[in-house]
């Protein structure tokens, strides 16, 4: 059985496990105060070109989204997101559980546009009764999006500028950030993201780590953010587990290096699909490929390959997703291609 | 510098790391649905003698407490706990953050008594206005407690029976459960705990794992508990990380074996303290030793040994805590003794 | 200045004030346990033909929505509503503040259709990953809707039947229920509503009372609903204030009688608008009339009449709302007509 | 049957009802923006000698406590209160429902002392792990307390000064404030309270109104406080109901005048109880009298008088409470005395 169902089906990059073993019996202080966390933060600050950034390591994506968003919103505020945004759709209501509304915007291929955002904000503040409504308190985007698409630097800049104008923090969910940066179609660096957002996270779980997301506040974290992490149940006692992983990933550019593999294998697969006449559902430049399959084809293929069922396309077709990762072997892609 | 500050300062038991490496490139399904999670659950069901138990693996203690408690309480209910209970004191308000009050009971050495509990419940229901108050909806105990003390089987049975009488789930926080079971003063087995509680967890973080707590519902988990884990931000994508760890810990009795070391080293230290005339703050039969130190002594000792400052004893003395663990070396204890 | 801005700009029906004075110095027990509350409940049970209904009086609409919804949802559930539903749009996030998501459905003139609901539920349960999402736990409709429109009995029945099939409570927000029942286009009685819903409320604030909404559970209220009212801060100490008002409103059919005035005055105005060639934004059969006005006309009219600005229609037109109520004088409508 | 069970068993002062009738058909804007609210605020500002105060009218006490506290606390903060404080004990967990812990302090006759508060805060900040705990974010006192006792001006000043030192808002719950001010043993005026607190409320429900509490921020309300009132479900559509009541209560000193009656009748009763040899449970200088009754006496008296059962005193005695109010008739007190 070939496995293209998601990008978190393997363990960790071997260097990480190696490092865990080497440091295993060192006695380190808890809760992220150890030297490996410090070292990892320093390396991330450097690659993000934000020497004063406050950085925290959390365990997973939903947790990170809920913790960051609820820490930054005021009680009467909600978070603006694409209707397809992970926080709106696939996190079991984790944001609402903290008391805040997700304010949906329409999307195009998983992205919100600066214009949609601007219109929303203008309409809100033009309504004489806006104080009976949920105040927009933050903007959430994912990059890559849930559809594997990417914002251009110009788009990010434009959204950022609207946020600044309305004094709204911009939060970028980078669960798959490595794959976004590694895509040849991307013109955005980590330093750009640090420049144009108020907070973002660099995903570890889907990019080489066992678990872990690095939350970066390029300027300053909210007061007592650590206590809020604890309050959310998201503070790891053995913070070393996260520090060592990110320290390894940000040594010798490992994070970027292993990200490239996901792009190369995805590109190979995408080209083959197009060559064979398959219809892409949309053109994703990262590690997720969405393709329209005839139901019968899908069923047969499903017997030998694992992939994700995304949504119904029409009565006789489905959209399915193939995901690659840092760990995908090119030979598996080649074998998959022969099966298409 | 000797390190007796806590029981989570090392990494994991080497067998765990070994197993992570061996399984690293296997492609496994996510969110706790992999075969290692299954295998770990089966082993835990067996050692707990509850073949139908529902078992879930979460990442850390505060997270587990908040998730379990908020999943089991009704909206108008609170959780009864000793005033010293971890949930009441040291979790940054994680329970209240989910909307529920912690109903404090007075404690003796960290334990609540059946009588105190019974009195509380009787008084509550005798008050004609109880429906203007927070309903008791669950009882929380920790075992070992935050002071390292243990409930006897008779005490547990008695508390359990009151809970049954009032139809209240009994939840046992076993963050250090291995050390409780391993203590020679304990007459309680895992099977006893499964028999007398509605839900408990077996702590991994403090007993040999990198992270992870195994939540056991001896009879049945609340409906859609998995969705509530997700909603709390506590669902690990690579659930294998927890499954493999618990599978290892519950293979060949490893969990119990390594727990003994914490008890043996603690006993050695306790005996030496008593021999040298130190005053124990209370008599803990597990891996935490609370001792009253004269301030000057404490200061000098603090230059070569790390320990925890617990609380002020009087103007010239402090209570400090020495903690041992599965990983504490007897030679370190011996060196510490020479310094006392 | 003529006043058609909303339906809550006057005090209470004079009979209510009269009754408050007559009963003022009686010493009554608090929190809704007095004899006037009892009497009002009995009368409501009768007119709703549900002799075993549990009835509670709350103070206002948003409060009622938040209390009822959060009392009936499980922690992992959200409430389905039209995107235009009051709870989704105009209650400052009161539902999310209790931890629950509002699951938006598209609307037609403020109504959801049985088909849209059925599709939503089918799609949800077909998604293999639905346990990572917010479970639909309740359906909310308003009747009349925020656009003054009404469900037919057949439509209500159909929605109700889908809810029953999925075991979802159906909640009807009747903030303006009197005007819905009184409309000659309505084929729905209070008894019908009691038959087809799990809970609904009869609005007092907008229909003759100073404040107050009567929540009716035709079968049974959730356990300890009164405690949850208190917990929400919605329990009135002098419950008599609500009991006396509803007792008066449901004596000699007063509620229905005074509701008719809103319909008659609205009908008069609607006819005049059509006669004069104005374009209705939609055809509301109740007490709210939405009309498209040219911006200049609107501005001039606004100097002598108060009305609501609803939304932009196009660059040169706005949608405005005229609302009538139990207290609107026909002579004021006639004067308004001369100004159009 | 004589009625001394509580201080909210009658309707409203007749002047209030009179005023409601006179203004009933005036068309006024909603949500507290009408001229009567404005006028009431102006009068309250004057009597409190704080010309820039922000004032809001809410409906009831629990609601006010929950709204004010949750609006002023940061997410990681709790509110300090006496263990007997209404918010801790008798509000069904309304504070915790908003996500915040009530941090209990021991009390003396319902009051906290400056020393206890100071000790608590010092101990908190001395604990090296305080960021794993709930931050003290506000201090709540009730005046009169739940036991009818009063802070002296010196005590209030001292508590206020500690709060200022720690940058903690001080919130005074004045559900029975009129009776506190009217007591001859009080040396505190409304202006003093406005000087020494960050926010307080003037209780209407228990002092002459049908409902309503006036929340006074002597300096400034939190940003968007009105939206938070709405979010809590506490915003009254017909805000006039509250405005007219408080405007009446603060016209010609009515609030203070009617408060005196409660004190005079209570004093009369207290003197009689002492004369007849009854034991007071504590010496309350306001409108609540707590007396120790022999069980048999209590039972017999209960057949002709309604009072509150407070708590068990010993096996053969109970503490009961007699409450007077603005509406208590001296002749009823005299009749009660003959029955003692």
């Amino acid at each position: 059985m070939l496995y293209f169902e998601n990008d978190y089906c393997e363990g960790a990059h071997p260097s990480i496990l190696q490092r865990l073993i080497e440091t295993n019996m060192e006695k380190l202080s808890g809760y992220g105060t150890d030297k490996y966390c410090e070292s990892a933060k320093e390396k991330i600050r450097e690659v993000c070109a934000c020497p004063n950034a406050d950085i925290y390591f959390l365990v997973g994506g939903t947790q990170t989204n809920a913790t960051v968003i609820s820490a930054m919103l005021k009680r009467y505020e909600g978070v603006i997101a694409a209707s397809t945004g992970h926080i709106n759709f696939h996190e079991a209501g984790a944001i609402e559980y903290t008391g805040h509304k997700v304010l949906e915007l329409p999307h195009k291929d998983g992205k919100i546009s600066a214009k949609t955002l601007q219109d929303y904000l203008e309409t809100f503040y033009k309504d004489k009764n806006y104080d009976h409504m949920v105040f927009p308190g933050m903007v959430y985007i994912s990059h890559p999006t849930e559809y594997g698409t990417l914002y251009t630097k110009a788009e990010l800049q434009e959204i950022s500028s609207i946020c600044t104008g309305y004094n709204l923090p911009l939060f970028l969910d980078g669960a798959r950030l490595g794959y976004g940066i590694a895509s040849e179609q991307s013109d955005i660096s980590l330093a750009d993201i640090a420049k144009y957002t108020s907070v973002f996270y660099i995903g570890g779980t889907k990019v080489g780590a066992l678990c872990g997301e690095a939350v970066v506040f390029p300027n300053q974290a909210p007061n007592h953010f650590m206590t809020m992490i604890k309050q959310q149940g998201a503070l790891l006692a053995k913070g070393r587990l996260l520090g060592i992983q990110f320290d390894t990933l940000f040594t010798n550019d490992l994070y970027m290096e292993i990200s490239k593999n996901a792009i190369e294998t995805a590109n190979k697969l995408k080209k083959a699909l197009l060559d064979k006449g398959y219809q892409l559902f949309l053109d994703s430049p990262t590690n997720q490929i969405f393709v329209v399959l005839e139901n019968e084809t899908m069923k047969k293929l499903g017997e030998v390959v694992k992939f994700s069922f995304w949504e119904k396309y029409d009565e006789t077709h489905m959209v399915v997703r193939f995901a690659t990762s840092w760990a995908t072997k090119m030979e598996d892609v080649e074998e998959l291609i022969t099966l298409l």
Side-chain angles (χ1 to χ4, degrees), chain A:
Chain A
M1 181 71 93
L2 291 170
Y3 205 105
F4 288 88
E5 196 172 5
N6 60 46
D7 37 17
Y8 46 83
C9 61
E10 292 94 0
H13 189 275
S15 313
I16 284 178
L17 294 181
Q18 186 52 39
R19 207 75 188 99
L20 286 176
I21 285 181
E22 287 164 12
T23 59
N24 191 45
M25 296 310 287
E26 290 180 22
K27 289 170 184 290
L28 300 174
S29 58
Y31 302 114
T33 61
D34 64 274
K35 64 184 177 190
Y36 296 107
C37 285
E38 267 328 298
S39 166
K41 289 177 189 181
E42 212 37 70
K43 287 171 183 164
I44 291 172
R45 283 187 195 106
E46 200 180 326
V47 68
C48 294
C50 46
N52 300 314
D54 280 340
I55 299 179
Y56 293 84
F57 300 112
L58 277 82
V59 177
T62 297
Q63 178 181 92
T64 301
N65 287 333
T67 306
V68 168
I69 289 170
S70 62
M72 296 190 77
L73 289 183
K74 298 195 186 66
R75 183 192 134 163
Y76 49 84
E77 293 176 338
V79 55
I80 293 175
S83 60
T84 48
H86 209 254
I87 56 168
N88 190 45
F89 189 57
H90 237 246
E91 299 191 349
I95 302 305
E96 289 83 2
Y97 191 57
T98 70
H100 298 283
K101 192 179 185 67
V102 179
L103 303 161
E104 287 187 27
L105 286 194
H107 74 104
K108 171 92 176 59
D109 295 346
K111 292 159 62 180
I112 57 172
S113 73
K115 183 172 175 354
T116 318
L117 177 60
Q118 177 74 37
D119 286 353
Y120 180 88
L121 293 167
E122 269 178 25
T123 305
F124 180 87
Y125 283 105
K126 262 187 198 157
D127 189 322
K128 284 195 323 175
N129 293 314
Y130 67 74
D131 48 9
H132 290 249
M133 288 152 59
V134 177
F135 278 77
M138 189 178 206
V139 175
Y140 164 97
I141 56 175
S142 35
H143 180 88
T145 68
E146 294 70 18
Y147 283 103
T149 51
L150 293 171
Y151 289 89
T152 64
K153 198 197 285 196
E155 287 169 341
L156 181 62
Q157 217 168 339
E158 220 183 338
I159 288 174
S160 175
S161 142
I162 293 168
C163 288
T164 306
Y166 280 90
N167 201 18
L168 294 175
L170 175 60
F171 173 32
L172 183 146
D173 172 339
R176 295 185 173 99
L177 192 49
Y179 305 142
I181 307 285
S183 165
E184 58 262 40
Q185 289 182 39
S186 168
D187 61 350
I188 296 185
S189 67
L190 281 172
D192 293 329
I193 289 171
K195 185 170 166 194
Y196 292 121
T197 68
S198 309
V199 53
F200 65 99
Y201 74 90
I202 304 173
T205 303
K206 287 172 177 160
V207 191
L210 284 166
C211 62
E213 323 293 320
V215 179
V216 183
F217 296 93
N219 300 301
Q220 207 179 353
N223 249 348
H224 296 303
F225 188 63
M226 187 275 225
T227 300
M228 294 188 273
I229 296 176
K230 176 91 182 180
Q231 188 186 33
Q232 190 90 25
L235 189 64
L236 205 58
K238 297 186 175 171
R240 67 198 292 155
L241 171 59
L242 302 172
I244 291 164
Q245 292 189 90
F246 275 96
D247 194 47
T248 308
L249 287 169
F250 283 85
T251 298
N252 295 332
D253 226 18
L254 182 64
Y255 188 74
M256 282 312 145
E257 280 310 309
I258 65 176
S259 291
K260 284 181 197 158
N261 180 71
I263 302 301
E264 286 161 9
T265 46
N267 282 352
K268 174 94 176 186
L269 176 58
K270 187 160 62 171
K271 187 168 178 310
L273 284 163
L274 290 171
D275 287 353
K276 295 192 177 210
Y278 285 94
Q279 178 195 348
L280 295 184
F281 177 60
L282 51 73
D283 186 17
S284 157
T286 58
N287 72 315
Q288 304 180 78
I289 298 175
F290 297 86
V291 60
V292 180
L293 290 190
E294 198 277 323
N295 288 350
E296 213 42 52
T297 313
M298 180 185 72
K299 212 168 155 183
K300 258 182 67 184
L301 193 64
E303 288 163 18
V304 283
V305 184
K306 276 195 178 261
F307 46 78
S308 293
F309 304 89
W310 212 251
E311 58 191 70
K312 193 172 148 177
Y313 185 75
D314 61 24
E315 290 311 311
T316 55
H317 294 79
M318 277 286 284
V319 179
V320 308
R321 182 190 75 172
F322 297 92
T324 63
S325 81
W326 61 276
T328 303
K329 292 191 184 135
M330 194 57 92
E331 65 209 56
D332 284 357
V333 175
E334 281 158 3
E335 195 179 333
L336 168 59
I337 291 173
T338 66
L339 297 170
L340 290 170

